[in-house]
Structure formats: structure tokens, C-alpha cells
Amino acid sequence: MRLNDTDAMGMAARMPLEELRGMAHRVRCQYYPDGQASYIIMRIVSYTNVCVADCSYCAFYRRPKHPEGYVLSNEQIFVKCDDLLACGGSLVAMEGGFNPYLKIEHYEQMFRAVRDRYGDRIEIYGPTIVEVIFIARSSRISVDEALRRMKDAGLRWIPGGGAEILTDAWRRRLSPKKYTVKEYLDGMHLAQSSGYGTTATMVIGFGETWEDRIEHLRHVRTLQDETGGFASFLLWSYQPDHTALGGARLADDDYLRAIALSRLYLDNIPIIRASVLTQREGGAKALLYGAHDFDIPLEDQVTELAGARIERNIETVLGWVRNAGLEPVKRAPL
Ligand code: SF4
């Protein structure tokens, strides 16, 4: 039976973690074999750090004309992709915020260049939907046209970043220029109906309540009921260092509880992904709390500059998973 918001609140607030874990793990094993967890090696390439979104939780961006602002050339992006392939990776997430100088033509040539050079050897996760909305507006075209032109250039995926916490109160506090919940969901709906694969994400640890988290999950589940367009749901945690927002790092138990609740609530999403990037060994442990998939990122500047320590030794990360009693199984991009 589907979990309603009242029951989800009760479980989040009162159910012993071990009991929640048992329930979530049983559901997780309906989607993926017990004793195994899937993973992919990837990197996030931030092709520019020039951004006018001013997110209060971000330590990465530079305002226009800042001397440390940059835009990567295609050649610099190729070096990163070559390195990814050499390490056994197969997914590059290309993200860059709200750069007012880059118009749709820049994105078309960039995605076309990467697709032409690598074909299907590397899958590309493109800009988040909030970035697509920004690109469309600054290029004076519709979001529909921006999506179509990027798709024609070889892009197939719009990942779920930019959602953070899907309540308007938190969006105003974290990223007031990153559009409302409705605009976010309408944008994802449009991407899904335009033939893109999409993922859903949630970021926790800002000080949000369980009501806020459950509202976010409800938006994701409702859109998924309508479209079936989310391939997976990734839960990761805010990193507070060097940010205007500040705050403290999320405790593992809070993360594990949220993973378990996400597995139980999102009964229409097949893959729950844990974050070893932000929770390290706690992320590996989450593979026993309802998640069954994880990324091994070789690069994520946005998260690193806010204090995450990326473990670049792939065997070390796989060791965390084996220590949790699970056999890691490499998967193809999806
Ligand atoms: S999180 Fe992304 S959109 Fe927000 S300020 Fe940083 S680079 Fe810009």
C-alpha cells in the first residue's frame, strides 16, 4: 500500500532506524539483488564558474568580470573526458550555473563536439533544468526550443540537480533566482515529454524539516505518476564550508533515515542512489538502507569547494561497499 504523508511523517519522526532500515531494504531487494550494489564511474565537468544565480549554499561560483572566472574550451573538456575513459568511467555531467555570456549556440557546439568525439563511449548529463530555463531566457528563445536544439546536438539527459529542496520557502532562501517549484516541475515535465531521460535529486542538511523533505518527495512522486520519466532518485547532503549559508555537516544517521524513507515513499522510482561523494562510508552504508546504486565521481568542484573530500581511489570506495557486505557491480549509464 502506498505510503501517505501522515504515515511518512510518523515513520520519519518515531520509527527506530533499524526497523526503518529493514523495511526499506526489503523493498530495495525487489528492485536489485540482495548482496549487490551497482555503480558507475563519472565526473562532473564544470565548464564555467561564472554565474549570476547567487545560491547561498555555493562556494564555487564567481560573478561576471571576476578575475578567477573561466569558461573551459572544448579541448580542456576533452582532456577531462579522456582521463575519465582511462579510469574506466562512462558518464560526464556537464554543469555550469547561470553564465549570462553563454548563449544557446555555445551549448550546441559544446555538446555536439563531445558527442562527435566520444559517440556512445561516454554518456552526457547536460545542464539542469534551471540552467536550461536560464539559457533559454538569455538566448531569447523558448525552453522548448532550447531543449530541442540541445537534443539535436546530441544531448540525451537532463539530470535532477537544481531541485535542492522543492518548497518555495527553501528555494527563496537557497536560490531565489532558480525559479519556483512549479517552474522547476513544469521544466522537468517538458524535458521528459521532449524525449530526454531525467533523474530526480534531493539535497538535505540545510536545516529543513521532515515536512519539507516529504513535500519534496511528494512533488517527485506526483510527477513520476504522470510521466514515468525519472530513471532514478539521488539523495545527497549539503556541504557547508566557505558558503554564505554556513551550517553543519549532516550526520550519517539522518542521511540513512532519509534514504530509507525515500525508498519507501518513492514507490514508482526503480533506483535510489546513495552519495558516497558527500557521505563517504555513510553513503556506502546507505546501500543497506534502501539505496542500491552509487556514483564514483572523479571530480565535482562545486561540492569539493564547499568541503567535500572526494575519494579518487576507486578501489578504496569499492572497499567501503565490500565492508558493508555488498559486492559492487559496474553498470552502464542510464
Ligand atoms: S550552485 Fe550552481 S547555479 Fe548556484 S551559484 Fe553555484 S554555480 Fe551558480
PDB file of all heavy atoms in Angstrom, residues 114-134:
ATOM      1  N   VAL A 114      31.415  17.016 -27.975  1.00  0.00           N
ATOM      2  CA  VAL A 114      31.643  15.865 -27.087  1.00  0.00           C
ATOM      3  C   VAL A 114      30.986  14.618 -27.674  1.00  0.00           C
ATOM      4  O   VAL A 114      31.574  13.531 -27.704  1.00  0.00           O
ATOM      5  CB  VAL A 114      31.114  16.163 -25.660  1.00  0.00           C
ATOM      6  CG1 VAL A 114      31.244  14.932 -24.762  1.00  0.00           C
ATOM      7  CG2 VAL A 114      31.885  17.335 -25.046  1.00  0.00           C
ATOM      8  N   ARG A 115      29.768  14.758 -28.183  1.00  0.00           N
ATOM      9  CA  ARG A 115      29.093  13.583 -28.768  1.00  0.00           C
ATOM     10  C   ARG A 115      29.843  13.077 -30.004  1.00  0.00           C
ATOM     11  O   ARG A 115      30.033  11.876 -30.180  1.00  0.00           O
ATOM     12  CB  ARG A 115      27.642  13.948 -29.124  1.00  0.00           C
ATOM     13  CG  ARG A 115      26.837  12.826 -29.698  1.00  0.00           C
ATOM     14  CD  ARG A 115      26.670  11.648 -28.756  1.00  0.00           C
ATOM     15  NE  ARG A 115      25.716  11.908 -27.701  1.00  0.00           N
ATOM     16  CZ  ARG A 115      25.676  11.227 -26.542  1.00  0.00           C
ATOM     17  NH1 ARG A 115      26.540  10.250 -26.309  1.00  0.00           N
ATOM     18  NH2 ARG A 115      24.773  11.512 -25.623  1.00  0.00           N
ATOM     19  N   ASP A 116      30.298  14.008 -30.864  1.00  0.00           N
ATOM     20  CA  ASP A 116      31.007  13.590 -32.078  1.00  0.00           C
ATOM     21  C   ASP A 116      32.291  12.848 -31.723  1.00  0.00           C
ATOM     22  O   ASP A 116      32.661  11.868 -32.365  1.00  0.00           O
ATOM     23  CB  ASP A 116      31.362  14.811 -32.947  1.00  0.00           C
ATOM     24  CG  ASP A 116      30.146  15.340 -33.685  1.00  0.00           C
ATOM     25  OD1 ASP A 116      29.087  14.672 -33.623  1.00  0.00           O
ATOM     26  OD2 ASP A 116      30.248  16.429 -34.293  1.00  0.00           O
ATOM     27  N   ARG A 117      32.995  13.331 -30.707  1.00  0.00           N
ATOM     28  CA  ARG A 117      34.300  12.734 -30.373  1.00  0.00           C
ATOM     29  C   ARG A 117      34.152  11.381 -29.662  1.00  0.00           C
ATOM     30  O   ARG A 117      34.939  10.467 -29.881  1.00  0.00           O
ATOM     31  CB  ARG A 117      35.081  13.704 -29.491  1.00  0.00           C
ATOM     32  CG  ARG A 117      36.480  13.219 -29.129  1.00  0.00           C
ATOM     33  CD  ARG A 117      37.203  14.313 -28.354  1.00  0.00           C
ATOM     34  NE  ARG A 117      38.369  13.823 -27.686  1.00  0.00           N
ATOM     35  CZ  ARG A 117      39.618  14.043 -28.080  1.00  0.00           C
ATOM     36  NH1 ARG A 117      39.843  14.735 -29.162  1.00  0.00           N
ATOM     37  NH2 ARG A 117      40.633  13.559 -27.388  1.00  0.00           N
ATOM     38  N   TYR A 118      33.133  11.249 -28.795  1.00  0.00           N
ATOM     39  CA  TYR A 118      33.060  10.049 -27.948  1.00  0.00           C
ATOM     40  C   TYR A 118      31.913   9.110 -28.305  1.00  0.00           C
ATOM     41  O   TYR A 118      31.880   7.982 -27.811  1.00  0.00           O
ATOM     42  CB  TYR A 118      32.956  10.457 -26.470  1.00  0.00           C
ATOM     43  CG  TYR A 118      34.178  11.219 -26.013  1.00  0.00           C
ATOM     44  CD1 TYR A 118      34.163  12.605 -25.914  1.00  0.00           C
ATOM     45  CD2 TYR A 118      35.361  10.545 -25.733  1.00  0.00           C
ATOM     46  CE1 TYR A 118      35.287  13.306 -25.534  1.00  0.00           C
ATOM     47  CE2 TYR A 118      36.498  11.240 -25.346  1.00  0.00           C
ATOM     48  CZ  TYR A 118      36.449  12.629 -25.254  1.00  0.00           C
ATOM     49  OH  TYR A 118      37.573  13.321 -24.894  1.00  0.00           O
ATOM     50  N   GLY A 119      30.985   9.553 -29.131  1.00  0.00           N
ATOM     51  CA  GLY A 119      29.861   8.675 -29.502  1.00  0.00           C
ATOM     52  C   GLY A 119      29.162   8.143 -28.264  1.00  0.00           C
ATOM     53  O   GLY A 119      28.829   8.894 -27.352  1.00  0.00           O
ATOM     54  N   ASP A 120      29.005   6.806 -28.210  1.00  0.00           N
ATOM     55  CA  ASP A 120      28.325   6.199 -27.059  1.00  0.00           C
ATOM     56  C   ASP A 120      29.303   5.751 -25.972  1.00  0.00           C
ATOM     57  O   ASP A 120      28.896   5.127 -24.993  1.00  0.00           O
ATOM     58  CB  ASP A 120      27.501   4.986 -27.519  1.00  0.00           C
ATOM     59  CG  ASP A 120      26.306   5.424 -28.349  1.00  0.00           C
ATOM     60  OD1 ASP A 120      25.833   6.566 -28.153  1.00  0.00           O
ATOM     61  OD2 ASP A 120      25.863   4.637 -29.208  1.00  0.00           O
ATOM     62  N   ARG A 121      30.585   6.048 -26.145  1.00  0.00           N
ATOM     63  CA  ARG A 121      31.542   5.606 -25.108  1.00  0.00           C
ATOM     64  C   ARG A 121      31.366   6.400 -23.823  1.00  0.00           C
ATOM     65  O   ARG A 121      31.686   5.925 -22.745  1.00  0.00           O
ATOM     66  CB  ARG A 121      32.983   5.771 -25.617  1.00  0.00           C
ATOM     67  CG  ARG A 121      33.341   4.802 -26.749  1.00  0.00           C
ATOM     68  CD  ARG A 121      34.779   4.955 -27.147  1.00  0.00           C
ATOM     69  NE  ARG A 121      35.063   6.290 -27.663  1.00  0.00           N
ATOM     70  CZ  ARG A 121      36.245   6.883 -27.589  1.00  0.00           C
ATOM     71  NH1 ARG A 121      37.257   6.288 -26.995  1.00  0.00           N
ATOM     72  NH2 ARG A 121      36.418   8.094 -28.116  1.00  0.00           N
ATOM     73  N   ILE A 122      30.859   7.638 -23.958  1.00  0.00           N
ATOM     74  CA  ILE A 122      30.579   8.452 -22.775  1.00  0.00           C
ATOM     75  C   ILE A 122      29.156   8.988 -22.888  1.00  0.00           C
ATOM     76  O   ILE A 122      28.778   9.521 -23.933  1.00  0.00           O
ATOM     77  CB  ILE A 122      31.566   9.641 -22.667  1.00  0.00           C
ATOM     78  CG1 ILE A 122      32.952   9.140 -22.256  1.00  0.00           C
ATOM     79  CG2 ILE A 122      31.073  10.669 -21.660  1.00  0.00           C
ATOM     80  CD1 ILE A 122      33.971  10.252 -22.062  1.00  0.00           C
ATOM     81  N   GLU A 123      28.374   8.825 -21.832  1.00  0.00           N
ATOM     82  CA  GLU A 123      27.060   9.468 -21.811  1.00  0.00           C
ATOM     83  C   GLU A 123      27.227  10.863 -21.192  1.00  0.00           C
ATOM     84  O   GLU A 123      28.125  11.091 -20.386  1.00  0.00           O
ATOM     85  CB  GLU A 123      26.057   8.619 -21.021  1.00  0.00           C
ATOM     86  CG  GLU A 123      24.617   9.084 -21.161  1.00  0.00           C
ATOM     87  CD  GLU A 123      24.192   9.280 -22.622  1.00  0.00           C
ATOM     88  OE1 GLU A 123      24.413  10.390 -23.166  1.00  0.00           O
ATOM     89  OE2 GLU A 123      23.653   8.329 -23.202  1.00  0.00           O
ATOM     90  N   ILE A 124      26.376  11.776 -21.632  1.00  0.00           N
ATOM     91  CA  ILE A 124      26.476  13.165 -21.162  1.00  0.00           C
ATOM     92  C   ILE A 124      25.219  13.513 -20.369  1.00  0.00           C
ATOM     93  O   ILE A 124      24.103  13.384 -20.888  1.00  0.00           O
ATOM     94  CB  ILE A 124      26.565  14.147 -22.359  1.00  0.00           C
ATOM     95  CG1 ILE A 124      27.643  13.727 -23.357  1.00  0.00           C
ATOM     96  CG2 ILE A 124      26.778  15.572 -21.860  1.00  0.00           C
ATOM     97  CD1 ILE A 124      27.509  14.427 -24.718  1.00  0.00           C
ATOM     98  N   TYR A 125      25.409  13.924 -19.114  1.00  0.00           N
ATOM     99  CA  TYR A 125      24.328  14.587 -18.387  1.00  0.00           C
ATOM    100  C   TYR A 125      24.509  16.083 -18.620  1.00  0.00           C
ATOM    101  O   TYR A 125      25.566  16.639 -18.345  1.00  0.00           O
ATOM    102  CB  TYR A 125      24.394  14.293 -16.885  1.00  0.00           C
ATOM    103  CG  TYR A 125      23.746  12.988 -16.460  1.00  0.00           C
ATOM    104  CD1 TYR A 125      23.415  12.001 -17.382  1.00  0.00           C
ATOM    105  CD2 TYR A 125      23.468  12.748 -15.125  1.00  0.00           C
ATOM    106  CE1 TYR A 125      22.825  10.816 -16.986  1.00  0.00           C
ATOM    107  CE2 TYR A 125      22.874  11.557 -14.715  1.00  0.00           C
ATOM    108  CZ  TYR A 125      22.557  10.591 -15.641  1.00  0.00           C
ATOM    109  OH  TYR A 125      21.975   9.419 -15.239  1.00  0.00           O
ATOM    110  N   GLY A 126      23.476  16.726 -19.137  1.00  0.00           N
ATOM    111  CA  GLY A 126      23.598  18.124 -19.535  1.00  0.00           C
ATOM    112  C   GLY A 126      23.254  19.072 -18.403  1.00  0.00           C
ATOM    113  O   GLY A 126      23.250  18.698 -17.227  1.00  0.00           O
ATOM    114  N   PRO A 127      22.964  20.307 -18.757  1.00  0.00           N
ATOM    115  CA  PRO A 127      22.605  21.290 -17.725  1.00  0.00           C
ATOM    116  C   PRO A 127      21.342  20.854 -16.992  1.00  0.00           C
ATOM    117  O   PRO A 127      20.501  20.150 -17.559  1.00  0.00           O
ATOM    118  CB  PRO A 127      22.321  22.568 -18.538  1.00  0.00           C
ATOM    119  CG  PRO A 127      22.819  22.310 -19.905  1.00  0.00           C
ATOM    120  CD  PRO A 127      22.864  20.838 -20.113  1.00  0.00           C
ATOM    121  N   THR A 128      21.219  21.287 -15.757  1.00  0.00           N
ATOM    122  CA  THR A 128      19.977  21.032 -15.026  1.00  0.00           C
ATOM    123  C   THR A 128      18.862  21.869 -15.659  1.00  0.00           C
ATOM    124  O   THR A 128      19.137  22.820 -16.414  1.00  0.00           O
ATOM    125  CB  THR A 128      20.125  21.431 -13.549  1.00  0.00           C
ATOM    126  OG1 THR A 128      20.370  22.846 -13.497  1.00  0.00           O
ATOM    127  CG2 THR A 128      21.278  20.682 -12.895  1.00  0.00           C
ATOM    128  N   ILE A 129      17.619  21.537 -15.319  1.00  0.00           N
ATOM    129  CA  ILE A 129      16.512  22.235 -15.981  1.00  0.00           C
ATOM    130  C   ILE A 129      16.505  23.728 -15.636  1.00  0.00           C
ATOM    131  O   ILE A 129      16.130  24.555 -16.474  1.00  0.00           O
ATOM    132  CB  ILE A 129      15.152  21.553 -15.667  1.00  0.00           C
ATOM    133  CG1 ILE A 129      14.097  22.033 -16.668  1.00  0.00           C
ATOM    134  CG2 ILE A 129      14.705  21.793 -14.232  1.00  0.00           C
ATOM    135  CD1 ILE A 129      14.335  21.644 -18.090  1.00  0.00           C
ATOM    136  N   VAL A 130      16.981  24.084 -14.434  1.00  0.00           N
ATOM    137  CA  VAL A 130      17.003  25.524 -14.115  1.00  0.00           C
ATOM    138  C   VAL A 130      18.029  26.239 -15.001  1.00  0.00           C
ATOM    139  O   VAL A 130      17.817  27.387 -15.414  1.00  0.00           O
ATOM    140  CB  VAL A 130      17.284  25.794 -12.611  1.00  0.00           C
ATOM    141  CG1 VAL A 130      16.086  25.428 -11.768  1.00  0.00           C
ATOM    142  CG2 VAL A 130      18.538  25.092 -12.117  1.00  0.00           C
ATOM    143  N   GLU A 131      19.135  25.561 -15.287  1.00  0.00           N
ATOM    144  CA  GLU A 131      20.109  26.166 -16.212  1.00  0.00           C
ATOM    145  C   GLU A 131      19.504  26.284 -17.617  1.00  0.00           C
ATOM    146  O   GLU A 131      19.711  27.287 -18.306  1.00  0.00           O
ATOM    147  CB  GLU A 131      21.381  25.321 -16.258  1.00  0.00           C
ATOM    148  CG  GLU A 131      22.194  25.352 -14.973  1.00  0.00           C
ATOM    149  CD  GLU A 131      23.270  24.284 -14.962  1.00  0.00           C
ATOM    150  OE1 GLU A 131      24.221  24.382 -15.742  1.00  0.00           O
ATOM    151  OE2 GLU A 131      23.158  23.334 -14.180  1.00  0.00           O
ATOM    152  N   VAL A 132      18.763  25.255 -18.035  1.00  0.00           N
ATOM    153  CA  VAL A 132      18.150  25.305 -19.372  1.00  0.00           C
ATOM    154  C   VAL A 132      17.175  26.487 -19.455  1.00  0.00           C
ATOM    155  O   VAL A 132      17.146  27.219 -20.458  1.00  0.00           O
ATOM    156  CB  VAL A 132      17.429  23.974 -19.704  1.00  0.00           C
ATOM    157  CG1 VAL A 132      16.707  24.083 -21.051  1.00  0.00           C
ATOM    158  CG2 VAL A 132      18.410  22.814 -19.721  1.00  0.00           C
ATOM    159  N   ILE A 133      16.404  26.684 -18.384  1.00  0.00           N
ATOM    160  CA  ILE A 133      15.461  27.820 -18.390  1.00  0.00           C
ATOM    161  C   ILE A 133      16.243  29.131 -18.516  1.00  0.00           C
ATOM    162  O   ILE A 133      15.890  30.029 -19.297  1.00  0.00           O
ATOM    163  CB  ILE A 133      14.594  27.818 -17.110  1.00  0.00           C
ATOM    164  CG1 ILE A 133      13.700  26.574 -17.054  1.00  0.00           C
ATOM    165  CG2 ILE A 133      13.725  29.081 -17.046  1.00  0.00           C
ATOM    166  CD1 ILE A 133      12.986  26.353 -15.706  1.00  0.00           C
ATOM    167  N   PHE A 134      17.345  29.231 -17.767  1.00  0.00           N
ATOM    168  CA  PHE A 134      18.158  30.451 -17.831  1.00  0.00           C
ATOM    169  C   PHE A 134      18.752  30.643 -19.234  1.00  0.00           C
ATOM    170  O   PHE A 134      18.729  31.754 -19.791  1.00  0.00           O
ATOM    171  CB  PHE A 134      19.282  30.391 -16.785  1.00  0.00           C
ATOM    172  CG  PHE A 134      20.165  31.604 -16.805  1.00  0.00           C
ATOM    173  CD1 PHE A 134      19.797  32.752 -16.112  1.00  0.00           C
ATOM    174  CD2 PHE A 134      21.343  31.625 -17.545  1.00  0.00           C
ATOM    175  CE1 PHE A 134      20.595  33.892 -16.150  1.00  0.00           C
ATOM    176  CE2 PHE A 134      22.142  32.762 -17.592  1.00  0.00           C
ATOM    177  CZ  PHE A 134      21.771  33.890 -16.893  1.00  0.00           C
TER     178      PHE A 134
END
